[in-house]
Every structure is written in structure tokens, then in C-alpha cells.
Amino acid sequence: TLQMNMSHLTHSNNILSDVVLFTATCLAVTAWTRNANRTPFPQQLSAKALTDGTTLCAQERVCTTDEHNIPTPHGHPRHLMRLHTMWHRATYIVVLHKSSSSLDEDVRVIVQKRSNLKDYCPGKYDPAPGGVVGFGESYETNVVRELEEEMGITKENMESMRRLFTFQYQDDNVKCWGDLWEVVFVGDVDSLELQEEEVEEIVTFSVDELDSLVNQSSGAEEEWMPDGLHAIRLYLQYKHDVTVKRRQYINVGLSSCGNLESYQLRPKIKAIFFDCDDCLYFDEWKVANMLTSKIELWFNERNFEKGYAYELYKKYGTALKGLQAEHLIEDCEDAVNEYLREVHDIGVDKHLKRDENLKAMLEKIDPSIQKYIFTASVKHHAERCLEALGIRDLFVDIIDVKACNLATKHTKEAFSCAMKVAGITDPFSCLFLDDSLKNIHMGAKMGWRCILVGLKGRDCGKAVSSNGAAEHEISRIHELENVMPEIFVKEQN
């Protein structure tokens, strides 16, 4: 009996071992299959298959271009375009789904999971499905064709179809000029007719869900088609800018990131440069007038004719630069420091008071973004203003005229010095707020993102505008959160 029991136990253990081995093998195969689906394009499709032209739609002639989106005379077969990573045209379509019920206002984004038969990124999610443009085909014709072929969406079940912008995309596997379109589909998602060799399945997300997935999820780069991921990020940026009425969409071409014929993602803001006087506060130019009077007094005490300081300012940018250029002040640091001390010796605390609303707004700015004062005056004057406003401790540093080697603020030299102090190399990651049109125009010329603060000119007393150099124009600094919500920490529900 013992021998029989031992034999039975051994047999049972062998069965258990076989079951465990079989289960482990199944799990390993499943994991391998999933990882295979996530493998980048070059490892999925052999060069031989592309060379032989045995991939899906290999012989289809497509619209290849140069790096400036100029089509080549005859196009190329699709498989050669993929094999040699040629520049080509493609469409990217953000398909919004709106229920046919008038009571349901929920709008969701339709996302495709690509078929494993695709010659590019098989098995990956595509938030902006479209296709490679055929030779001699327009972007619009391609959009209509791709929607009907892949999902059965036609103009009959669309509420709208509109082109938004063109963009350039390039990585190790793809070089394309994408045209991004927005389509609103009205109907039942379950009724869509998916093209089996192109689309495995579709899923839908709210815009907020999609934003979170593509901009915050750590796995986005692995699960999603890379150029589709780039396209949907551009789309979300575009929609945000339309919402906050970013001005460079009215004045196209003033910035490469605002040019809708070559639209680009903007880098994250790394540093904000605030002007001090008449920007962080507005007192009807009382402090500014006091500074002007002090400069005039300095000149009068040295027997210069009346108005001479202003003439030097108009000619050289600042009165001090004029004094130096015409050798009217001793060429030494002590003389310059004494001049700056005297002309800034005013009691700002008599005119400025604590601004708790300004303090609260500044404290809500993303702490990873550095905040600087960038002023044409001197550090001790700016410090007095900040102390009076109750915000002295909210800035990393004060970049004053001395830190800029006495350069006039509306010069390339001054802006370059400010970037050097902040340790910033990419000008488009700089946000600049100022009330001076000259300063705003130089900031825009340098590639900084600019906001004009104050809509009335000090000298003319009339309404002023940057004419597109600033992407936003606001009447008071306190409106910053309304036009640049992305730089503020979002409140948690």
C-alpha cells in the first residue's frame, strides 16, 4: 500500500510539474508576443521584405518630397520610401465623435489600434489616423479616402472636416510632412466598418483623458505610434492656444512655432523674466516720472541745458550710455555707480503698497520654472519695489543694467546677458513680460515668448499694440493666469 501511495504521489507530482511547465511556457509565449508587438519598426520588418516589395501596398506610388515639402517629379513606390526613409507627405486626422443624440454633448476622440499587417508601427495605437499621400493626390483627397476606407466615415456622417496646420516630423524611421485635420463624426461608433488589414480595433477617449495619456503617461512612447503621438500633442497645443486666443495664430509667421505651414511643438517654459517698473505694478507712471525727474536734476546740477538728458536717451537708448559715448562722465566704475545711485534715490514705498493678489498669483507658478526680475534700472531700486509689493522672496535673482554690462535693455546684448545669468540656452523656453514695446520687439526677435503688460502708452497716452510681437497683450500683470494657465500649478479636485 505504501509503495502504491508513493507511486501515486510521484505520478501526481509529475502531472503537477507538467502543468506548471505548460503554464509557464504559455505565459512566456504571451509575453514574447506582446513584446514583439512593441518592438520598433526596423526589427519587425526586414530590409529584405521592403527590398523585395512584399510588404502591404508595397508598389503603391506615393508623394515623396524634399525637406521643404516640395514634391518630387514622379514620386516613389511605398516600399522604397520606407526602405530609404524618404521625405513624404502624410495626413493625420483627429476624429472627434459626437453622439447623434442632441442631449449628449460629450465629445470623444477615436483612436485606432493599427493592424499587425501594417508596414509601419504595426499593433500600435494611433491617435491621429490618416495615411501616406499618394502621388498626385491632395491632402484633402487623402483625408476623405482614408476615412472611408479604414473606418467607413463619409461626408454623410461627418458634422465637419477642417484642416488645421502642416508640420514636419523626423525620427530614425520616418521623415514626413504631415497635414493635420479635425473631423467630427456623428453616429454610432459600433457601426463603423473597420478595414481589417489596416485597423485591428478602435477605442475612444475624452480630450482630457487623451491629454493625460500622451503628455503624462510614462508608457506613451512604447504604446503609441511616434509620429501620431507628436501629431496629437501638436493638436492639443493648438486647441489650447485657440482657447486662450494666443496672438501668433492671427499673425502667422512671426514665430516658427506659430507658423501654421510649419507648425512646431513649443518647449516647456524654463524661466520667466519680469520687468519691474510699470509691469509688476502700475501707478500711473508716478515712480517712472520720479526717475525721469531725478535724471533731469542730475543734468541740471551739472549745468547741462534743459532736455539734454532726453536727447541722449533718444540717441543712445539711455542717458548713461549717451554720457559715456560723448565722454561726459568719468570712465570708471565709481563714477557710474554714483550716477546710478543718485538717479534712483527715490522713496518708492510712498507710492507702492503690498499686493497680496500679485503675491498669490506668483506663488501659484510652477516651482520648476525660475522667476527673474529683468530691469533697465539698478538692483537696489528693484529691491525696494519688490519689498514694497511684498514679493521680494519670490525671485531667483535681479538682472539689472549692471549685470548686462550697462547695455540698453532693448538690445541683443542685454537679452543674451539675461539668458546667461539664468543658464538658459534655448530662447523659446524664456517667457518675458514688459510694458515697453521696444523691449517686447527685441525679445521676440531673440526668440523669447513675449507678453505685453499695459495697453496704453506712457508718452502718447493712447492705446498701444505690439503688432504681433507679443503672443498676448494684457492690461495688468494679474491677468497672466488667464492667458498662460499652463505655467501654473493646477488645483487638485
Side-chain angles (χ1 to χ4, degrees):
T1 302
L2 178 63
Q3 186 175 9
M4 288 176 63
N5 287 339
M6 289 296 292
S7 175
H8 176 72
L9 180 62
T10 302
H11 179 66
S12 299
N13 286 341
N14 289 339
I15 292 174
L16 180 62
S17 298
D18 289 343
V19 170
V20 170
L21 180 61
F22 175 76
T23 303
T25 302
C26 289
L27 290 172
V29 169
T30 302
W32 179 87
T33 303
R34 286 176 178 170
N35 287 332
N37 285 339
R38 293 175 182 173
T39 305
F41 155 71
Q43 296 179 24
Q44 289 180 326
L45 296 172
S46 68
K48 185 177 186 303
L50 289 171
T51 303
D52 294 345
T54 57
T55 54
L56 188 66
C57 301
Q59 300 305 319
E60 176 189 6
R61 189 162 289 274
V62 299
C63 180
T64 49
T65 72
D66 63 11
E67 66 272 22
H68 303 296
N69 200 19
I70 306 299
T72 57
H74 308 292
H76 291 83
R78 177 190 285 266
H79 71 104
L80 293 182
M81 177 271 288
R82 292 290 187 209
L83 180 65
H84 300 295
T85 318
M86 297 178 181
W87 283 104
H88 63 281
R89 287 182 174 178
T91 56
Y92 295 80
I93 313 163
V94 176
V95 183
L96 304 179
H97 172 237
K98 183 186 291 185
S99 172
S100 56
S101 169
S102 60
L103 299 177
D104 186 0
E105 295 299 326
D106 182 37
V107 175
R108 300 180 69 81
V109 181
I110 295 177
V111 173
Q112 285 186 1
K113 185 175 183 183
R114 294 166 66 82
S115 162
N116 283 318
L117 299 175
K118 298 288 286 184
D119 66 355
Y120 171 64
C121 289
K124 295 205 173 188
Y125 288 101
D126 186 359
V132 175
V133 175
F135 178 69
E137 185 179 42
S138 70
Y139 280 123
E140 182 174 1
T141 301
N142 179 268
V143 169
V144 173
R145 176 172 63 82
E146 293 288 346
L147 286 173
E148 184 171 4
E149 289 179 356
E150 294 189 2
M151 294 188 288
I153 296 176
T154 65
K155 290 187 176 181
E156 282 68 35
N157 53 22
M158 289 182 203
E159 182 178 281
S160 62
M161 183 182 88
R162 64 190 185 113
R163 175 189 175 273
L164 300 185
F165 53 81
T166 302
F167 66 95
Q168 186 184 57
Y169 179 82
Q170 179 177 5
D171 62 22
D172 291 341
N173 306 320
V174 178
K175 294 179 181 177
C176 81
W177 279 94
D179 215 45
L180 193 136
W181 291 66
E182 180 188 75
V183 166
V184 178
F185 163 68
V186 180
D188 187 356
V189 172
D190 294 333
S191 69
L192 292 176
E193 300 175 4
L194 306 185
Q195 188 178 16
E196 186 176 347
E197 61 269 26
E198 298 280 348
V199 185
E200 182 177 322
E201 64 173 340
I202 59 171
V203 291
T204 67
F205 298 95
S206 71
V207 175
D208 288 342
E209 288 170 343
L210 192 60
D211 191 357
S212 178
L213 281 170
V214 303
N215 287 318
Q216 301 173 33
S217 173
S218 58
E221 305 297 337
E222 295 181 9
E223 302 288 348
W224 300 74
M225 193 171 80
D227 49 327
L229 194 63
H230 182 76
I232 199 65
R233 286 170 174 163
L234 285 170
Y235 172 78
L236 293 170
Q237 174 181 279
Y238 172 89
K239 296 295 283 187
H240 162 77
D241 290 335
V242 170
T243 300
V244 299
K245 300 179 180 178
R246 185 168 177 260
R247 292 175 61 87
Q248 286 183 345
Y249 290 99
I250 300 171
N251 300 282
V252 173
L254 291 170
S255 163
S256 59
C257 293
N259 180 0
L260 298 183
E261 298 306 314
S262 183
Y263 190 51
Q264 298 177 25
L265 275 178
R266 296 189 299 272
K268 182 180 182 293
I269 295 295
K270 293 182 179 178
I272 307 175
F273 299 86
F274 295 86
D275 180 41
C276 180
D277 298 309
D278 303 316
C279 179
L280 287 176
Y281 66 87
F282 182 64
D283 66 343
E284 296 290 341
W285 300 292
K286 292 175 184 176
V287 171
N289 290 334
M290 289 170 63
L291 290 171
T292 300
S293 296
K294 274 286 187 177
I295 294 173
E296 287 288 354
L297 178 62
W298 189 93
F299 275 77
N300 291 340
E301 289 176 344
R302 287 155 182 79
N303 299 319
F304 289 102
E305 62 183 75
K306 187 176 180 179
Y308 189 61
Y310 186 59
E311 293 300 318
L312 291 179
Y313 162 77
K314 289 193 296 182
K315 185 175 181 180
Y316 296 101
T318 67
L320 176 58
K321 294 292 287 185
L323 289 170
Q324 291 178 310
E326 299 194 5
H327 309 290
L328 300 174
I329 190 173
E330 191 176 350
D331 188 17
C332 68
E333 186 175 354
D334 288 343
V336 169
N337 288 340
E338 181 60 22
Y339 167 84
L340 292 172
R341 186 193 65 78
E342 287 190 35
V343 299
H344 288 93
D345 185 19
I346 59 175
V348 297
D349 55 322
K350 296 178 181 178
H351 300 276
L352 304 182
K353 59 182 180 179
R354 290 182 66 86
D355 188 337
E356 296 299 337
N357 291 332
L358 175 60
K359 179 179 173 67
M361 185 197 73
L362 293 172
E363 288 176 335
K364 288 169 61 178
I365 291 176
D366 183 343
S368 69
I369 302 175
Q370 302 178 78
K371 298 187 291 293
Y372 292 88
I373 296 297
F374 180 27
T375 177
S377 65
V378 289
K379 188 171 185 177
H380 62 264
H381 168 74
E383 285 177 332
R384 288 198 293 263
C385 292
L386 299 181
E387 289 287 353
L389 294 168
I391 56 174
R392 175 64 186 92
D393 60 333
L394 300 182
F395 298 91
V396 176
D397 201 356
I398 297 172
I399 304 169
D400 70 347
V401 65
K402 293 175 66 177
C404 297
N405 303 316
L406 304 181
T408 305
K409 188 172 178 180
H410 54 267
T411 61
K412 181 178 179 180
E413 181 182 358
F415 280 82
S416 297
C417 286
M419 289 181 64
K420 185 175 181 180
V421 171
I424 302 294
T425 56
D426 181 3
F428 217 70
S429 64
C430 299
L431 179 63
F432 178 50
L433 293 92
D434 204 300
D435 64 295
S436 164
L437 290 175
K438 286 184 178 180
N439 296 341
I440 289 293
H441 279 276
M442 178 50 67
K445 188 175 181 179
M446 291 289 292
W448 290 25
R449 298 177 61 186
C450 301
I451 297 179
L452 178 67
V453 182
L455 305 180
K456 186 169 72 171
R458 176 188 174 190
D459 295 330
C460 65
K462 298 179 181 179
V464 295
S465 173
S466 67
N467 295 320
E471 59 186 71
H472 295 291
E473 295 179 355
I474 56 180
S475 58
R476 300 173 68 238
I477 190 73
H478 303 76
E479 299 171 18
L480 177 60
E481 190 171 4
N482 296 336
V483 297
M484 293 290 292
E486 64 268 30
I487 67 173
F488 290 84
V489 175
K490 294 181 181 178
E491 294 182 4
Q492 298 296 321
N493 293 327

